[in-house]
Amino acid sequence: MITGDVPLVELCKKYVKEKYNKPGEVFLGVVHRLDRPVSGVVVFARTSKALERMNELFRDRQTKKIYWAVVKNRPKKNQEHWFIGW
């Protein structure tokens, strides 16, 4: 699907280029992301070495993800904590 949105990685590359006055192309690798339409964290690496190391952390499951939800009514006492494993 083509939405016409500017990809987040391109916006961030522009920011890094301007903030650090980088000549030429800026490297920015996407380590981890959540697909739309959810909100969350996007992890970028500014070097290929960092991208390699961060990908290894995710691949070896050395990272921990915590999911939060906004609900209208408070869950019953025995349903407050859910663990979703890999």
Side-chain angles (χ1 to χ4, degrees):
M1 174 193 311
I2 298 175
T3 63
D5 295 340
V6 177
L8 181 60
V9 69
E10 295 304 319
L11 293 172
C12 291
K13 281 182 181 181
K14 182 179 177 190
Y15 169 79
V16 169
K17 184 176 183 74
E18 291 173 3
K19 178 169 176 75
Y20 298 102
N21 206 15
K22 296 279 234 178
E25 291 296 314
V26 172
F27 177 87
L28 200 62
V30 180
V31 178
H32 188 72
R33 65 177 175 74
L34 294 173
D35 288 326
R36 287 189 300 178
V38 299
S39 63
V41 175
V42 179
V43 180
F44 293 107
R46 289 187 44 207
T47 66
S48 58
K49 185 76 141 176
L51 178 61
E52 182 181 321
R53 290 175 178 166
M54 292 296 293
N55 279 334
E56 185 178 334
L57 291 173
F58 278 90
R59 183 177 53 250
D60 295 344
R61 299 195 174 161
Q62 295 179 43
T63 57
K64 181 179 178 183
K65 299 178 189 177
I66 298 175
Y67 295 90
W68 294 81
V70 177
V71 296
K72 182 176 181 180
N73 298 313
R74 185 182 180 111
K76 295 177 185 173
K77 188 66 175 168
N78 64 350
Q79 296 178 341
E80 285 184 4
H81 294 88
W82 289 80
F83 172 75
I84 301 174
W86 287 352

